[in-house]
Amino acid sequence: MKPIDLLGGMTADTFLKEYWHKKPLLIRGALKDVGEHVDYAWLAKLAADEDVESRLIEYKQGKWHLERGPFRAGRLRRLPETDWTILVQNVNHHLPHIADILWRFDFMPYARLDDLMISYAPPGGTVGPHFDSYDVFLLQVGGHKRWQISSQKDEAFIEDAPIKVLKDFQVEEEFVLEHGDMLYLPPKCAHYGVALEPGMTYSIGFRAPSAQELATEFLVYLQDRVCVEGRYADPDLKQQAEPARISDDMVEQVSAMLQQIRWDKSVVADFLGHYLTEPKPHVFYEGPEAELDEDEFAEAARQSGIVLDLKSQILYSNDMLYCNGQLLESEPVDLAAWQALANGRQLPADRLSDNMMPLLFEGYLAGWWHIAG
Ligand code: SIN
Ligand code: CO
């Protein structure tokens, strides 16, 4: 097992065994080279886009305020010098070097990684003490932020606040993060970050759907696929003394019909492939501007290879591949190459076969991947 720089030289094994879901971990100097600086102007530009999820959280006159984007440039210019935070979700969908940071966490399964959110705050900026129901890595980029954490069990939130802020936060530990430092927090670990100097937090968030959400989505998936035989019939019907009563016979017959709805692990795996790769509602793919025809595409792909679009995700289970909420109907001989594309998010030219071209061309037209380079 190789040491991981991001984890301060710890192996993924040690991290997973000792910290993941269990206890916080502070990693000084985890990642200093974050590539091109995403400045406030860049973030403000993203926050103005209606396809980008953004929030502004302010604490003024003893009250929490929440506004949701898109924000007009004027709104973001009118902000005071202190005490606010702007948060932009899924920045990895928009900036390749930010996506690269997210994919450095590939010691975790992609099915669990969610997004890279960036927050910017001037001094005093905070979203208040709270806890999240999923794991998070908080990477400090520029500036200084003071983080206080607590293992408290008191989960009471302030009533009538527009965001979840703990009523009674009991500090247990405190760290000041500077550029490149990273704090891992397990789910439900209470935390309170306050900017001391203008700076950013890159939050690498994980997906942890509730059982209720999984069940609801699974039922939607089943609804499109379920096929049950028969029609209600009652050739031995007898007159009922109470015609308004739903008879036991009817309940029994319908329950026997519904028992035809069954699933096994392969159905659940297929559901997960669709569900986990389903794009978020505000995600759209754009086909190429200057479209190549199939032959031109094949030639360019054979020369340069393929890269996944920043918003695309391929996951697989057994020999089934899923991309952006759909099954990818690949040929068994190409499975290893498609799996390499899913894992590495790119496929070098020498791994592309003629067989793969029709499907690769389709995805290219849909904007799911592009010619590399
Ligand atoms: C922040 O970026 O300040 C908030 C992130 C979090 O607490 O989850
Ligand atoms: Co949080």
Side-chain angles (χ1 to χ4, degrees):
M1 275 281 173
K2 68 175 195 319
I4 294 178
D5 290 346
L6 264 182
L7 296 176
M10 196 182 281
T11 63
D13 245 14
T14 306
F15 171 72
L16 293 173
K17 214 164 17 195
E18 304 202 353
Y19 296 94
W20 178 248
H21 263 33
K22 299 169 198 77
K23 56 183 186 200
L25 174 66
L26 172 66
I27 308 148
R28 294 276 181 205
L31 182 62
K32 287 197 167 154
D33 180 9
V34 292
E36 197 185 320
H37 184 56
V38 177
D39 59 7
Y40 175 57
W42 232 109
L43 213 56
K45 212 165 91 188
L46 280 178
D49 186 331
E50 60 179 27
D51 293 335
V52 175
E53 230 184 297
S54 57
R55 286 168 294 157
L56 174 66
I57 295 173
E58 278 186 277
Y59 187 71
K60 35 182 197 196
Q61 285 131 25
K63 274 200 154 154
W64 294 97
H65 297 262
L66 165 71
E67 280 173 65
R68 292 187 186 279
F71 295 98
R72 288 163 183 260
R75 173 70 189 103
L76 298 182
R77 273 198 300 268
R78 275 201 330 269
L79 287 165
E81 301 216 331
T82 59
D83 301 344
W84 54 269
T85 304
I86 185 153
L87 306 105
V88 180
Q89 218 78 47
N90 281 296
V91 181
N92 53 295
H93 283 179
H94 305 280
L95 299 176
H97 74 284
I98 296 297
D100 286 346
I101 296 177
L102 178 63
W103 302 119
R104 287 178 73 140
F105 288 78
D106 61 1
F107 52 90
M108 298 301 301
Y110 293 168
R112 293 283 277 117
L113 274 176
D114 190 1
D115 76 328
L116 194 151
M117 173 183 85
I118 297 186
S119 73
Y120 170 85
T126 178
V127 304
H130 65 282
F131 62 82
D132 300 303
S133 37
Y134 42 81
D135 312 77
V136 68
F137 284 95
L138 301 160
L139 173 69
Q140 185 69 25
V141 177
H144 285 97
K145 196 178 243 180
R146 186 195 69 206
W147 285 99
Q148 296 176 320
I149 60 173
S150 169
S151 60
Q152 69 190 71
K153 295 285 164 275
D154 177 357
E155 297 184 355
F157 288 115
I158 297 178
E159 287 121 31
D160 59 80
I163 54 170
K164 285 187 166 178
V165 177
L166 285 166
K167 238 185 207 172
D168 180 20
F169 178 65
Q170 300 134 26
V171 190
E172 287 170 5
E173 275 184 278
E174 178 177 307
F175 321 96
V176 173
L177 265 63
E178 54 184 69
H179 180 79
D181 294 347
M182 188 164 74
L183 181 60
Y184 161 74
L185 298 175
K188 296 273 177 119
C189 173
H191 51 287
Y192 181 26
V194 181
L196 304 178
E197 272 172 31
M200 308 228 178
T201 299
Y202 288 12
S203 296
I204 291 86
F206 289 82
R207 267 182 103 146
S210 66
Q212 182 63 43
E213 181 184 334
L214 284 166
T216 307
E217 293 297 324
F218 183 58
L219 289 174
V220 171
Y221 162 93
L222 272 188
Q223 186 177 322
D224 292 341
R225 289 161 179 85
V226 77
C227 186
V228 288
E229 300 288 322
R231 177 179 296 278
Y232 189 79
D234 43 10
D236 302 324
L237 187 63
K238 307 265 177 334
Q239 188 184 4
Q240 293 183 189
E242 301 156 80
R245 185 187 292 279
I246 297 169
S247 70
D248 282 353
D249 281 354
M250 182 175 234
V251 172
E252 227 160 86
Q253 190 183 149
V254 172
S255 101
M257 281 172 162
L258 296 181
Q259 274 171 30
Q260 294 182 62
I261 306 172
R262 288 173 184 276
W263 58 87
D264 56 17
K265 276 201 205 162
S266 71
V267 174
V268 175
D270 187 58
F271 156 67
L272 283 173
H274 286 90
Y275 166 72
L276 292 171
T277 61
E278 181 66 34
K280 293 180 183 166
H282 47 85
V283 168
F284 301 97
Y285 301 93
E286 278 168 40
E289 259 171 39
E291 201 174 288
L292 305 175
D293 69 25
E294 195 158 357
D295 291 338
E296 291 164 337
F297 167 78
E299 200 184 315
R302 252 187 231 105
Q303 215 156 63
S304 311
I306 292 290
V307 280
L308 280 192
D309 184 77
L310 297 180
K311 298 175 198 156
S312 284
Q313 174 91 84
I314 303 183
L315 296 176
Y316 57 87
S317 169
N318 303 320
D319 53 357
M320 308 292 259
L321 286 149
Y322 306 86
C323 181
N324 301 343
Q326 291 181 39
L327 183 70
L328 275 187
E329 308 222 21
S330 78
E331 309 251 351
V333 289
D334 301 320
L335 194 61
W338 283 105
Q339 291 179 345
L341 176 61
N343 286 311
R345 300 190 55 83
Q346 56 181 312
L347 198 61
D350 60 4
R351 302 257 351 231
L352 305 183
S353 70
D354 286 350
N355 240 349
M356 294 170 79
M357 282 304 170
L359 192 49
L360 279 174
F361 184 59
E362 242 179 78
Y364 156 79
L365 292 181
W368 287 4
W369 43 73
H370 316 281
I371 303 284

PDB file of all heavy atoms in Angstrom, residues 55 85-87 117-121 125-128 130 132 134 136 138 145 147 185 191-194 200-203, ligand 1:
ATOM      1  N   ARG A  55     -24.847  29.614  -2.781  1.00  0.00           N
ATOM      2  CA  ARG A  55     -25.527  30.180  -1.612  1.00  0.00           C
ATOM      3  C   ARG A  55     -24.673  31.283  -1.018  1.00  0.00           C
ATOM      4  O   ARG A  55     -23.449  31.230  -1.101  1.00  0.00           O
ATOM      5  CB  ARG A  55     -25.698  29.109  -0.508  1.00  0.00           C
ATOM      6  CG  ARG A  55     -26.742  28.073  -0.776  1.00  0.00           C
ATOM      7  CD  ARG A  55     -26.623  26.936   0.219  1.00  0.00           C
ATOM      8  NE  ARG A  55     -25.381  26.213   0.039  1.00  0.00           N
ATOM      9  CZ  ARG A  55     -24.787  25.485   0.987  1.00  0.00           C
ATOM     10  NH1 ARG A  55     -25.298  25.420   2.205  1.00  0.00           N
ATOM     11  NH2 ARG A  55     -23.661  24.840   0.729  1.00  0.00           N
ATOM     12  N   THR A  85     -20.233  34.471   3.779  1.00  0.00           N
ATOM     13  CA  THR A  85     -19.578  33.362   3.065  1.00  0.00           C
ATOM     14  C   THR A  85     -20.380  33.086   1.801  1.00  0.00           C
ATOM     15  O   THR A  85     -21.606  33.022   1.854  1.00  0.00           O
ATOM     16  CB  THR A  85     -19.578  32.073   3.927  1.00  0.00           C
ATOM     17  OG1 THR A  85     -18.953  32.357   5.176  1.00  0.00           O
ATOM     18  CG2 THR A  85     -18.835  30.943   3.252  1.00  0.00           C
ATOM     19  N   ILE A  86     -19.677  32.923   0.701  1.00  0.00           N
ATOM     20  CA  ILE A  86     -20.378  32.466  -0.512  1.00  0.00           C
ATOM     21  C   ILE A  86     -19.903  31.051  -0.808  1.00  0.00           C
ATOM     22  O   ILE A  86     -18.712  30.746  -0.685  1.00  0.00           O
ATOM     23  CB  ILE A  86     -20.175  33.431  -1.697  1.00  0.00           C
ATOM     24  CG1 ILE A  86     -21.026  32.957  -2.876  1.00  0.00           C
ATOM     25  CG2 ILE A  86     -18.723  33.556  -2.112  1.00  0.00           C
ATOM     26  CD1 ILE A  86     -21.428  34.058  -3.790  1.00  0.00           C
ATOM     27  N   LEU A  87     -20.847  30.176  -1.119  1.00  0.00           N
ATOM     28  CA  LEU A  87     -20.506  28.768  -1.344  1.00  0.00           C
ATOM     29  C   LEU A  87     -20.993  28.339  -2.728  1.00  0.00           C
ATOM     30  O   LEU A  87     -22.162  28.598  -3.074  1.00  0.00           O
ATOM     31  CB  LEU A  87     -21.167  27.876  -0.283  1.00  0.00           C
ATOM     32  CG  LEU A  87     -20.865  28.275   1.174  1.00  0.00           C
ATOM     33  CD1 LEU A  87     -22.074  28.950   1.802  1.00  0.00           C
ATOM     34  CD2 LEU A  87     -20.475  27.070   1.995  1.00  0.00           C
ATOM     35  N   MET A 117     -16.872  21.555  -3.526  1.00  0.00           N
ATOM     36  CA  MET A 117     -17.536  22.850  -3.320  1.00  0.00           C
ATOM     37  C   MET A 117     -16.474  23.844  -2.869  1.00  0.00           C
ATOM     38  O   MET A 117     -15.564  23.485  -2.128  1.00  0.00           O
ATOM     39  CB  MET A 117     -18.593  22.695  -2.234  1.00  0.00           C
ATOM     40  CG  MET A 117     -19.248  23.982  -1.802  1.00  0.00           C
ATOM     41  SD  MET A 117     -20.428  23.722  -0.463  1.00  0.00           S
ATOM     42  CE  MET A 117     -19.359  23.773   0.973  1.00  0.00           C
ATOM     43  N   ILE A 118     -16.580  25.084  -3.363  1.00  0.00           N
ATOM     44  CA  ILE A 118     -15.638  26.106  -2.893  1.00  0.00           C
ATOM     45  C   ILE A 118     -16.411  27.189  -2.151  1.00  0.00           C
ATOM     46  O   ILE A 118     -17.449  27.663  -2.621  1.00  0.00           O
ATOM     47  CB  ILE A 118     -14.857  26.734  -4.065  1.00  0.00           C
ATOM     48  CG1 ILE A 118     -13.993  25.663  -4.764  1.00  0.00           C
ATOM     49  CG2 ILE A 118     -13.964  27.876  -3.572  1.00  0.00           C
ATOM     50  CD1 ILE A 118     -13.067  26.204  -5.846  1.00  0.00           C
ATOM     51  N   SER A 119     -15.898  27.549  -0.977  1.00  0.00           N
ATOM     52  CA  SER A 119     -16.475  28.695  -0.284  1.00  0.00           C
ATOM     53  C   SER A 119     -15.400  29.766  -0.168  1.00  0.00           C
ATOM     54  O   SER A 119     -14.213  29.459  -0.052  1.00  0.00           O
ATOM     55  CB  SER A 119     -16.987  28.307   1.100  1.00  0.00           C
ATOM     56  OG  SER A 119     -15.907  28.094   1.981  1.00  0.00           O
ATOM     57  N   TYR A 120     -15.857  30.998  -0.231  1.00  0.00           N
ATOM     58  CA  TYR A 120     -14.954  32.127  -0.019  1.00  0.00           C
ATOM     59  C   TYR A 120     -15.527  32.957   1.122  1.00  0.00           C
ATOM     60  O   TYR A 120     -16.746  33.171   1.175  1.00  0.00           O
ATOM     61  CB  TYR A 120     -14.871  33.005  -1.281  1.00  0.00           C
ATOM     62  CG  TYR A 120     -14.141  34.295  -1.015  1.00  0.00           C
ATOM     63  CD1 TYR A 120     -12.754  34.358  -1.087  1.00  0.00           C
ATOM     64  CD2 TYR A 120     -14.849  35.451  -0.634  1.00  0.00           C
ATOM     65  CE1 TYR A 120     -12.077  35.540  -0.792  1.00  0.00           C
ATOM     66  CE2 TYR A 120     -14.176  36.632  -0.339  1.00  0.00           C
ATOM     67  CZ  TYR A 120     -12.802  36.671  -0.414  1.00  0.00           C
ATOM     68  OH  TYR A 120     -12.135  37.825  -0.108  1.00  0.00           O
ATOM     69  N   ALA A 121     -14.679  33.385   2.016  1.00  0.00           N
ATOM     70  CA  ALA A 121     -15.162  34.217   3.116  1.00  0.00           C
ATOM     71  C   ALA A 121     -14.125  35.269   3.476  1.00  0.00           C
ATOM     72  O   ALA A 121     -12.936  34.971   3.567  1.00  0.00           O
ATOM     73  CB  ALA A 121     -15.459  33.358   4.338  1.00  0.00           C
ATOM     74  N   GLY A 125     -16.362  35.566   8.248  1.00  0.00           N
ATOM     75  CA  GLY A 125     -17.311  34.773   7.454  1.00  0.00           C
ATOM     76  C   GLY A 125     -17.429  33.367   8.025  1.00  0.00           C
ATOM     77  O   GLY A 125     -16.421  32.727   8.321  1.00  0.00           O
ATOM     78  N   THR A 126     -18.667  32.907   8.185  1.00  0.00           N
ATOM     79  CA  THR A 126     -18.904  31.566   8.734  1.00  0.00           C
ATOM     80  C   THR A 126     -20.306  31.096   8.351  1.00  0.00           C
ATOM     81  O   THR A 126     -21.171  31.925   8.058  1.00  0.00           O
ATOM     82  CB  THR A 126     -18.783  31.569  10.280  1.00  0.00           C
ATOM     83  OG1 THR A 126     -19.074  30.264  10.775  1.00  0.00           O
ATOM     84  CG2 THR A 126     -19.716  32.577  10.930  1.00  0.00           C
ATOM     85  N   VAL A 127     -20.494  29.789   8.329  1.00  0.00           N
ATOM     86  CA  VAL A 127     -21.853  29.262   8.113  1.00  0.00           C
ATOM     87  C   VAL A 127     -22.412  28.760   9.449  1.00  0.00           C
ATOM     88  O   VAL A 127     -23.435  28.095   9.479  1.00  0.00           O
ATOM     89  CB  VAL A 127     -21.894  28.161   7.023  1.00  0.00           C
ATOM     90  CG1 VAL A 127     -21.308  28.686   5.725  1.00  0.00           C
ATOM     91  CG2 VAL A 127     -21.147  26.904   7.459  1.00  0.00           C
ATOM     92  N   GLY A 128     -21.688  29.084  10.535  1.00  0.00           N
ATOM     93  CA  GLY A 128     -22.173  28.734  11.872  1.00  0.00           C
ATOM     94  C   GLY A 128     -21.796  27.316  12.266  1.00  0.00           C
ATOM     95  O   GLY A 128     -21.412  26.496  11.430  1.00  0.00           O
ATOM     96  N   HIS A 130     -22.350  23.590  13.046  1.00  0.00           N
ATOM     97  CA  HIS A 130     -23.358  22.645  12.543  1.00  0.00           C
ATOM     98  C   HIS A 130     -22.687  21.282  12.387  1.00  0.00           C
ATOM     99  O   HIS A 130     -21.489  21.144  12.635  1.00  0.00           O
ATOM    100  CB  HIS A 130     -23.896  23.104  11.178  1.00  0.00           C
ATOM    101  CG  HIS A 130     -22.858  23.091  10.094  1.00  0.00           C
ATOM    102  ND1 HIS A 130     -21.907  24.077   9.962  1.00  0.00           N
ATOM    103  CD2 HIS A 130     -22.569  22.191   9.118  1.00  0.00           C
ATOM    104  CE1 HIS A 130     -21.111  23.790   8.954  1.00  0.00           C
ATOM    105  NE2 HIS A 130     -21.485  22.638   8.419  1.00  0.00           N
ATOM    106  N   ASP A 132     -22.766  17.787   9.491  1.00  0.00           N
ATOM    107  CA  ASP A 132     -23.291  17.286   8.219  1.00  0.00           C
ATOM    108  C   ASP A 132     -23.516  15.790   8.363  1.00  0.00           C
ATOM    109  O   ASP A 132     -22.904  15.139   9.217  1.00  0.00           O
ATOM    110  CB  ASP A 132     -22.292  17.579   7.095  1.00  0.00           C
ATOM    111  CG  ASP A 132     -22.029  19.076   6.953  1.00  0.00           C
ATOM    112  OD1 ASP A 132     -22.985  19.824   6.758  1.00  0.00           O
ATOM    113  OD2 ASP A 132     -20.857  19.482   7.062  1.00  0.00           O
ATOM    114  N   TYR A 134     -22.715  13.623   6.167  1.00  0.00           N
ATOM    115  CA  TYR A 134     -21.762  12.886   5.322  1.00  0.00           C
ATOM    116  C   TYR A 134     -20.340  13.302   5.691  1.00  0.00           C
ATOM    117  O   TYR A 134     -20.135  14.331   6.344  1.00  0.00           O
ATOM    118  CB  TYR A 134     -22.041  13.188   3.848  1.00  0.00           C
ATOM    119  CG  TYR A 134     -22.326  14.639   3.601  1.00  0.00           C
ATOM    120  CD1 TYR A 134     -21.281  15.544   3.493  1.00  0.00           C
ATOM    121  CD2 TYR A 134     -23.636  15.121   3.536  1.00  0.00           C
ATOM    122  CE1 TYR A 134     -21.519  16.877   3.322  1.00  0.00           C
ATOM    123  CE2 TYR A 134     -23.887  16.474   3.370  1.00  0.00           C
ATOM    124  CZ  TYR A 134     -22.833  17.342   3.256  1.00  0.00           C
ATOM    125  OH  TYR A 134     -23.065  18.684   3.104  1.00  0.00           O
ATOM    126  N   VAL A 136     -16.542  14.707   5.088  1.00  0.00           N
ATOM    127  CA  VAL A 136     -16.036  15.811   4.272  1.00  0.00           C
ATOM    128  C   VAL A 136     -14.549  16.034   4.548  1.00  0.00           C
ATOM    129  O   VAL A 136     -14.071  15.801   5.663  1.00  0.00           O
ATOM    130  CB  VAL A 136     -16.878  17.096   4.526  1.00  0.00           C
ATOM    131  CG1 VAL A 136     -16.673  17.640   5.942  1.00  0.00           C
ATOM    132  CG2 VAL A 136     -16.592  18.182   3.520  1.00  0.00           C
ATOM    133  N   LEU A 138     -11.970  19.205   4.323  1.00  0.00           N
ATOM    134  CA  LEU A 138     -11.991  20.660   4.180  1.00  0.00           C
ATOM    135  C   LEU A 138     -10.562  21.135   3.944  1.00  0.00           C
ATOM    136  O   LEU A 138      -9.720  21.045   4.842  1.00  0.00           O
ATOM    137  CB  LEU A 138     -12.553  21.303   5.455  1.00  0.00           C
ATOM    138  CG  LEU A 138     -13.977  20.872   5.840  1.00  0.00           C
ATOM    139  CD1 LEU A 138     -14.255  21.156   7.305  1.00  0.00           C
ATOM    140  CD2 LEU A 138     -14.997  21.578   4.953  1.00  0.00           C
ATOM    141  N   LYS A 145      -8.305  30.027   8.446  1.00  0.00           N
ATOM    142  CA  LYS A 145      -9.642  29.802   9.014  1.00  0.00           C
ATOM    143  C   LYS A 145      -9.487  29.040  10.313  1.00  0.00           C
ATOM    144  O   LYS A 145      -8.690  28.099  10.394  1.00  0.00           O
ATOM    145  CB  LYS A 145     -10.501  29.006   8.023  1.00  0.00           C
ATOM    146  CG  LYS A 145     -11.984  29.051   8.322  1.00  0.00           C
ATOM    147  CD  LYS A 145     -12.780  28.276   7.275  1.00  0.00           C
ATOM    148  CE  LYS A 145     -13.710  29.176   6.505  1.00  0.00           C
ATOM    149  NZ  LYS A 145     -14.494  28.486   5.495  1.00  0.00           N
ATOM    150  N   TRP A 147     -11.007  26.482  12.797  1.00  0.00           N
ATOM    151  CA  TRP A 147     -12.037  25.440  12.889  1.00  0.00           C
ATOM    152  C   TRP A 147     -12.116  24.941  14.320  1.00  0.00           C
ATOM    153  O   TRP A 147     -11.087  24.624  14.925  1.00  0.00           O
ATOM    154  CB  TRP A 147     -11.697  24.261  11.965  1.00  0.00           C
ATOM    155  CG  TRP A 147     -11.956  24.557  10.525  1.00  0.00           C
ATOM    156  CD1 TRP A 147     -11.038  24.930   9.590  1.00  0.00           C
ATOM    157  CD2 TRP A 147     -13.225  24.516   9.848  1.00  0.00           C
ATOM    158  NE1 TRP A 147     -11.655  25.131   8.374  1.00  0.00           N
ATOM    159  CE2 TRP A 147     -12.989  24.889   8.503  1.00  0.00           C
ATOM    160  CE3 TRP A 147     -14.525  24.217  10.248  1.00  0.00           C
ATOM    161  CZ2 TRP A 147     -14.018  24.957   7.562  1.00  0.00           C
ATOM    162  CZ3 TRP A 147     -15.551  24.287   9.298  1.00  0.00           C
ATOM    163  CH2 TRP A 147     -15.293  24.658   7.975  1.00  0.00           C
ATOM    164  N   LEU A 185     -13.470  15.350   8.426  1.00  0.00           N
ATOM    165  CA  LEU A 185     -14.496  15.211   9.465  1.00  0.00           C
ATOM    166  C   LEU A 185     -15.440  14.069   9.125  1.00  0.00           C
ATOM    167  O   LEU A 185     -15.979  14.012   8.010  1.00  0.00           O
ATOM    168  CB  LEU A 185     -15.323  16.501   9.571  1.00  0.00           C
ATOM    169  CG  LEU A 185     -14.575  17.773   9.969  1.00  0.00           C
ATOM    170  CD1 LEU A 185     -15.500  18.972   9.898  1.00  0.00           C
ATOM    171  CD2 LEU A 185     -13.980  17.623  11.365  1.00  0.00           C
ATOM    172  N   HIS A 191     -18.934  21.038  13.670  1.00  0.00           N
ATOM    173  CA  HIS A 191     -17.799  21.887  13.293  1.00  0.00           C
ATOM    174  C   HIS A 191     -18.241  23.322  13.073  1.00  0.00           C
ATOM    175  O   HIS A 191     -19.389  23.580  12.712  1.00  0.00           O
ATOM    176  CB  HIS A 191     -17.073  21.335  12.053  1.00  0.00           C
ATOM    177  CG  HIS A 191     -17.957  21.025  10.883  1.00  0.00           C
ATOM    178  ND1 HIS A 191     -18.803  19.946  10.831  1.00  0.00           N
ATOM    179  CD2 HIS A 191     -18.126  21.671   9.696  1.00  0.00           C
ATOM    180  CE1 HIS A 191     -19.437  19.927   9.675  1.00  0.00           C
ATOM    181  NE2 HIS A 191     -19.052  20.972   8.974  1.00  0.00           N
ATOM    182  N   TYR A 192     -17.291  24.213  13.294  1.00  0.00           N
ATOM    183  CA  TYR A 192     -17.569  25.650  13.248  1.00  0.00           C
ATOM    184  C   TYR A 192     -16.319  26.331  12.703  1.00  0.00           C
ATOM    185  O   TYR A 192     -15.291  26.389  13.377  1.00  0.00           O
ATOM    186  CB  TYR A 192     -17.884  26.104  14.681  1.00  0.00           C
ATOM    187  CG  TYR A 192     -18.216  27.566  14.847  1.00  0.00           C
ATOM    188  CD1 TYR A 192     -18.750  28.325  13.811  1.00  0.00           C
ATOM    189  CD2 TYR A 192     -18.022  28.203  16.070  1.00  0.00           C
ATOM    190  CE1 TYR A 192     -19.076  29.664  13.983  1.00  0.00           C
ATOM    191  CE2 TYR A 192     -18.337  29.542  16.261  1.00  0.00           C
ATOM    192  CZ  TYR A 192     -18.865  30.263  15.211  1.00  0.00           C
ATOM    193  OH  TYR A 192     -19.188  31.585  15.395  1.00  0.00           O
ATOM    194  N   GLY A 193     -16.399  26.784  11.475  1.00  0.00           N
ATOM    195  CA  GLY A 193     -15.240  27.421  10.837  1.00  0.00           C
ATOM    196  C   GLY A 193     -15.481  28.913  10.706  1.00  0.00           C
ATOM    197  O   GLY A 193     -16.539  29.331  10.232  1.00  0.00           O
ATOM    198  N   VAL A 194     -14.517  29.703  11.119  1.00  0.00           N
ATOM    199  CA  VAL A 194     -14.634  31.158  10.985  1.00  0.00           C
ATOM    200  C   VAL A 194     -13.375  31.678  10.290  1.00  0.00           C
ATOM    201  O   VAL A 194     -12.259  31.400  10.743  1.00  0.00           O
ATOM    202  CB  VAL A 194     -14.785  31.846  12.370  1.00  0.00           C
ATOM    203  CG1 VAL A 194     -14.933  33.364  12.197  1.00  0.00           C
ATOM    204  CG2 VAL A 194     -15.958  31.277  13.146  1.00  0.00           C
ATOM    205  N   MET A 200     -10.277  30.653   1.033  1.00  0.00           N
ATOM    206  CA  MET A 200     -11.261  29.710   0.499  1.00  0.00           C
ATOM    207  C   MET A 200     -11.168  28.375   1.214  1.00  0.00           C
ATOM    208  O   MET A 200     -10.097  27.993   1.702  1.00  0.00           O
ATOM    209  CB  MET A 200     -10.971  29.433  -0.970  1.00  0.00           C
ATOM    210  CG  MET A 200     -10.831  30.677  -1.789  1.00  0.00           C
ATOM    211  SD  MET A 200     -11.801  30.518  -3.267  1.00  0.00           S
ATOM    212  CE  MET A 200     -11.529  32.100  -3.997  1.00  0.00           C
ATOM    213  N   THR A 201     -12.277  27.670   1.226  1.00  0.00           N
ATOM    214  CA  THR A 201     -12.288  26.283   1.677  1.00  0.00           C
ATOM    215  C   THR A 201     -12.770  25.443   0.509  1.00  0.00           C
ATOM    216  O   THR A 201     -13.823  25.723  -0.057  1.00  0.00           O
ATOM    217  CB  THR A 201     -13.245  26.098   2.882  1.00  0.00           C
ATOM    218  OG1 THR A 201     -12.782  26.916   3.947  1.00  0.00           O
ATOM    219  CG2 THR A 201     -13.282  24.649   3.331  1.00  0.00           C
ATOM    220  N   TYR A 202     -11.964  24.461   0.132  1.00  0.00           N
ATOM    221  CA  TYR A 202     -12.408  23.498  -0.870  1.00  0.00           C
ATOM    222  C   TYR A 202     -12.953  22.310  -0.075  1.00  0.00           C
ATOM    223  O   TYR A 202     -12.202  21.653   0.653  1.00  0.00           O
ATOM    224  CB  TYR A 202     -11.223  23.011  -1.730  1.00  0.00           C
ATOM    225  CG  TYR A 202     -10.650  24.019  -2.717  1.00  0.00           C
ATOM    226  CD1 TYR A 202     -10.985  25.365  -2.671  1.00  0.00           C
ATOM    227  CD2 TYR A 202      -9.759  23.601  -3.712  1.00  0.00           C
ATOM    228  CE1 TYR A 202     -10.442  26.269  -3.580  1.00  0.00           C
ATOM    229  CE2 TYR A 202      -9.220  24.501  -4.624  1.00  0.00           C
ATOM    230  CZ  TYR A 202      -9.562  25.833  -4.551  1.00  0.00           C
ATOM    231  OH  TYR A 202      -9.021  26.727  -5.450  1.00  0.00           O
ATOM    232  N   SER A 203     -14.258  22.043  -0.223  1.00  0.00           N
ATOM    233  CA  SER A 203     -14.864  20.915   0.509  1.00  0.00           C
ATOM    234  C   SER A 203     -15.043  19.744  -0.435  1.00  0.00           C
ATOM    235  O   SER A 203     -15.781  19.845  -1.420  1.00  0.00           O
ATOM    236  CB  SER A 203     -16.252  21.261   1.026  1.00  0.00           C
ATOM    237  OG  SER A 203     -16.200  22.281   1.945  1.00  0.00           O
TER     238      SER A 203
HETATM  239  C1  SIN B   1     -17.298  26.418   4.747  1.00  0.00           C
HETATM  240  O1  SIN B   1     -16.764  26.234   3.652  1.00  0.00           O
HETATM  241  O2  SIN B   1     -16.993  27.378   5.475  1.00  0.00           O
HETATM  242  C2  SIN B   1     -18.339  25.490   5.254  1.00  0.00           C
HETATM  243  C3  SIN B   1     -18.105  24.083   4.889  1.00  0.00           C
HETATM  244  C4  SIN B   1     -18.763  23.158   5.889  1.00  0.00           C
HETATM  245  O3  SIN B   1     -18.853  23.464   7.052  1.00  0.00           O
HETATM  246  O4  SIN B   1     -19.194  22.050   5.551  1.00  0.00           O
END
